[in-house]
Amino acid sequence: MAKSSFEYVKTFELSDTLLPNTWIVVRLDGKCFHKFSEDHNFTKPNDVRALKLMNYAAFTVFREFNDLLMAFGQSDEYSFVFKKHCTVYKRRAAKLVSTITSKFSASYVFYWSKFFGEEQLKYPPSFDGRIVLYPSEENLIDYMKWRQADVHINNLYNTTFWTLVKEGKLSPAQAEKRLCGTVSGDKNEILFKEFNINYNDEPEIFKRGTLLLKKHINMNESYKCVSVIVDVHDDMLKEKFWTYHKDLLFMKSKQNFIYDGPITEIISEQLQEKYISKSDINNSL
Amino acid sequence: MAKSSFEYVKTFELSDTLLPNTWIVVRLDGKCFHKFSEDHNFTKPNDVRALKLMNYAAFTVFREFNDLLMAFGQSDEYSFVFKKHCTVYKRRAAKLVSTITSKFSASYVFYWSKFFGEEQLKYPPSFDGRIVLYPSEENLIDYMKWRQADVHINNLYNTTFWTLVKEGKLSPAQAEKRLCGTVSGDKNEILFKEFNINYNDEPEIFKRGTLLLKKHINMNESYKCVSVIVDVHDDMLKEKFWTYHKDLLFMKSKQNFIYDGPITEIISEQLQEKYISKSDINNSL
Amino acid sequence: MAKSSFEYVKTFELSDTLLPNTWIVVRLDGKCFHKFSEDHNFTKPNDVRALKLMNYAAFTVFREFNDLLMAFGQSDEYSFVFKKHCTVYKRRAAKLVSTITSKFSASYVFYWSKFFGEEQLKYPPSFDGRIVLYPSEENLIDYMKWRQADVHINNLYNTTFWTLVKEGKLSPAQAEKRLCGTVSGDKNEILFKEFNINYNDEPEIFKRGTLLLKKHINMNESYKCVSVIVDVHDDMLKEKFWTYHKDLLFMKSKQNFIYDGPITEIISEQLQEKYISKSDINNSL
Amino acid sequence: MAKSSFEYVKTFELSDTLLPNTWIVVRLDGKCFHKFSEDHNFTKPNDVRALKLMNYAAFTVFREFNDLLMAFGQSDEYSFVFKKHCTVYKRRAAKLVSTITSKFSASYVFYWSKFFGEEQLKYPPSFDGRIVLYPSEENLIDYMKWRQADVHINNLYNTTFWTLVKEGKLSPAQAEKRLCGTVSGDKNEILFKEFNINYNDEPEIFKRGTLLLKKHINMNESYKCVSVIVDVHDDMLKEKFWTYHKDLLFMKSKQNFIYDGPITEIISEQLQEKYISKSDINNSL
C-alpha cells in the first residue's frame, strides 16, 4: 500500500493566506431562505424566533474565537469581524470561511427547537460564506454602516409592504406597486397616516439588526467584573457609537467596555455558566 | 440613510474564481473529532453509527449538486469531486467550499438521531473545508487512491491497537509501543496469531471507506432504469475499478453505470421516494 | 541598526504559486506600440525589421529557459509556453512573468540596431505581461490557434487597408469605410481584382506569425545532430501540424523533431556558435 | 478562420486584482548580477556608474506613473511605492509588476552608455519583480527602513571586506574569515585603526542608497515653483525624516515638499526640459 507514491497530490493544494494586518470580515448568507422561511411559517415581515436563532448561532461562533471583535446580523445574514492581527488558522481563507460557516450552520440546526419550540425543522438549511479584507478603520466602519443601513432600508420597506397587505388588504402586487418609487419619508407617512403606526416604535432588533460585542458587566460588590458577549441593537450609523467604542477595532489585549444594558437571554446564560453555584447571581440580575 | 455612500466597500471583495477545466475537490475534516467522539461514546476503533451518519450527510450534499462525480469518506473526513466543466457558483472558491461545508454540517446535526438513536448530541460539531484542483485524470485518481490508502493504513493500525487494548489487555501506551516500527504484515500477524482475527474479514466500510457514485438500477421489466446515488466500498487502489469506471471522470451528460450491488439504506430511501405508491417496489428489491 | 525589527514586513509577501501540472503561458504585449511604431518609422502594414527584432528578443528568452516548449509572436506580442511539469522559480507567478518580460525588453533594446541599422531607437519601449494556465492539451492548442487566427484576421485587414491607402489613394477614413462589414473573401477579392495582389503570395511571416521551437538539425556525416531553436511559420490551424508534433506538448526529456527547413539567421547563428572553428560548417549549410 | 471558436481560452485568464486601499510596493532585483558586475568590470565594493544607471532607470519609471510616491534603490535592487488609492491598470498584479520591470530593464540598456561610456554592454541583463501590499503607514515605513538598514549592513561589510582585500592584501577567503562574527563596531574599528578610513565619510549614496521623491524647487522670482523628481540619500531610519515628510504617504493631489538640496544630474535634466529656451535657467542653478 504505497501511500507515499500518491502523496504528491498534496502539492496541488495552494496557499490562500490572507494579507496580514487587515480586518477580516466573514459574511454568511442563508441559501434559498425565502423558501425556507415559507416552509417553516416565519412571521412576516420579521420573525423574532428566527432572528433570535440567528443571534444564538452567531453567539456560539463568537465564543469560540478569541480574535473576534464583533458580529452583526440581520435577516438571514451574519458578518463576523476578526481583529487585524488575528492569526487564527494562519489566516488561511478557506479554512476560516468554512469553519465559521460550518459552526454557524450546525448550531442553527442544533438550537432550532430552543427558539422554534413545536415548529419542526423540516430539512437542514445551508449558508454560504465569503471573506473580505478591510485595511483601514474607515473602510471597516463603512462596512458596518453599509450592512446596518441595509437593515433599515429593507425593514422599512418590508414593514410597510406587509402592513399594506395584512392590514390594508392589498394584494402583494398592489402593495409592491404602491411602494414603487417611494422614499423613506413616504413609507413613514403611509404607516403613520393610514395605519397609525409610528415606525420609530418598531422593535430595535427589527430596525437595526443585532450586534454582538465583548463587554464587561459589574457584578455586585463582592465580585470583579465579568466578561460577556452582549447582544445589542446600537445605532452604528451614528458617530457617537464609534466615538464611544473607539478602541474596539484596535483591541490588542482586553478591552474594557462596561455594559449596563438589559440582561438578555444570551447574557443571562453566560452569567449562569460562570456563577451557577453562587447565591448572589439572582440578586445581581 | 445614504446607503450608497458605503457601498464602495463591496469593491474590496476580490475574485476567487477557480481555473476552468480542472476537477474541483472539496475536502471536509471534523474539528476536534477526537474529543467529539469521546464525548459521544463512539465505539473504537470504528463506530458504524458515526460512519453511516457521515455517509448520509454526504449523500444530502451529493443530491444537491448535479455536477458532483463522486464523494469519498472515511473517519471524520469527506471529499467531494466536481466534474471538470462544472460551473456551479461560477467556480467561486469561497462560495463552493462554504456551501458544501455548511450543508454537510447542518445535515450531520439534523440526521444525528436517525443513526445515534438515544445517544444525545451534546453540542454542534464543526468541519473545516479546503479546495484542491486537479488538472489531469491521473492526478485525480492518485488523489482518490491517496485517501483510500490512508483508510487502510489507519484502520489496520487502529484495529490492531484497539484489539491489543481491549482483548490483549495492554494499556494504550503499551499497545503503542508494541506497534512502533511494525509494517502491515506484522499487524496482520498480530491480529491473526494472537487474536485469531483475519483482517480481511473486517467490514469493507472500515477497510475501504465509502464511495458515493451515481449509478442506474434496473427495476423489474415494466420500469426503466432508475438513477440513484449508491454507497459502495469498492477498491479504488485496483486498476480494474478505474477501467470499469473509465468514463466516470469525463461524464458530460448522463453516464450509464449499472448498479447490481446490495440495496443499502441510502439507495432504498431514494427508490422509495420515486416509487412510494407503486406496488412493485418491494418485488424489485 | 536593528534590521531584524523590520524584517516582519517580509511576511506580507504572499505566495503566488501556480497550479502544478498545467501549461504556463506568458504573453507579452507592447505598450503604446502604435505610437512607438510611428515614432520609429515602421513600414505599414508590416515592418520586417520590427518582426525580426521581436523574434530575436524572443529567441534570447527561449535559450535561457530549458522548460520552454514553444513561443509564438506576431505584431507587438509574444507568447511563451512552458511545459506542464515546469518547476522554474517554483512556479511563482510574479517572478516568472516579470523575468520573462524583463529579459525580452532588455533584449529588444540591446539588439535594436542589429535589425534597425541607422534608424535610431528614440526611447526605451515597454511591454506588459500576463500569465494564463491551461490544464489540457486541447485548451493549449486552441490558445495557439486563437493567436494564429488573430494574425490572419489582422494581417488580411491591414494588408487590404494599406493597399487601398497607398496604392488605391484612399484616405484612411475612406479605406476603413470601404472595409466595414467585409468578410475574408471580400478582402481577398479587393486585393486580387483591384490591385492584382494574391494574398496567398504574401510572406509567411506576415500571414502566420513566427513560431519558435526546439528541433534537431542533421549535420553532415561526421557529426551528430545538433539541437537548435528554429523560427518557423507553420500553420498551426491545420491538424497536421499537431499530428506531426504530437509529442511536443508532453516533452519530458529531449524530443526529437528533425528540422529540414531553411537555415534562418537565428539558426545560422546558433550553428556558428557551436561550430565556429570547424571547416565543414559551410558545407553543411 | 473561426477565431471565435478558440476565444473561450480567454476565460482561463483569472483576475489578480490587488486589495484596494493598500500601498503597493513593486521590488525589482537584478538576476545573476554578481556575474554581470564582473563581466562589466564594476568597481568593488561600489560602482558609481552602476548605481547612477540604476537611479536613472528608476527615474524613467517614476516619471511615467503619477501614482508613485517614492522609489528606493541600492545595489541591484529598486523598490517602487504606489499610493494607497492608486488604480493604475485597475490594480492588476501581473500587469503592474511586468510593466514596471519591463520599463526599468529597457531603460537600463538604453541608458547604459550614458553612464558607462566606453565600457560596452556585453549582453542584456534582466530583473525579476515582486509585489507586496502594505495596509498601514507603520508597515510601509518599516519596509523602507528594512531596505535601508540592509544597505547599511551590506555596505559596511563590503567596504571592510574590499579594504582588507585591496589594501590589506588579504585573500578573499582570509578577509571573509577575518570578518566572521564581527559586529558593526568591529568593522568600523578595522577601517579606522588599520586603514585610517572613517566609515562616516563614505559617500551617502553608498551608505544609504538612493531615494526618489517628488518635490518642488523654487526657481528665481519670476517663476513659480517647479515640480521635479529628486534623487536624495536621506536617512529614513531617523524619525525626523518621517516627521518632515508626514503627508508623503497620504498624498491625494499634489504634495508640497520644497527641495533645497543640490541640483543633481537627474534634477538638472528635468529643469532643462522645462526651461530649455529660457535664459534664466543657468542663473537659477
Side-chain angles (χ1 to χ4, degrees), chain B residues 19-22 84 133-136 138-139, chain C residues 19-22 84 133-136 138-139:
Chain B
L19 186 68
N21 199 23
T22 50
K84 281 201 302 184
L133 298 180
Y134 290 105
S136 80
E138 183 191 7
N139 298 148
Chain C
L19 186 68
N21 199 22
T22 50
K84 281 200 303 183
L133 298 180
Y134 290 105
S136 81
E138 183 190 8
N139 298 148

Side-chain angles (χ1 to χ4, degrees), chain C residues 175-200:
Chain C
E176 198 181 328
K177 197 175 170 190
R178 175 76 197 279
L179 292 175
C180 184
T182 57
V183 296
S184 294
D186 301 329
K187 297 189 195 77
N188 273 306
E189 200 171 289
I190 290 171
L191 287 172
F192 193 67
K193 294 212 171 144
E194 300 182 25
F195 302 98
N196 201 27
I197 292 170
N198 186 338
Y199 182 72
N200 289 334

Side-chain angles (χ1 to χ4, degrees), chain A residues 19-22 133 135-136 139, chain D residues 19-22 133 135-136 139:
Chain A
L19 187 67
N21 199 24
T22 50
L133 298 180
S136 82
N139 299 148
Chain D
L19 186 68
N21 199 23
T22 50
L133 298 179
S136 82
N139 298 148

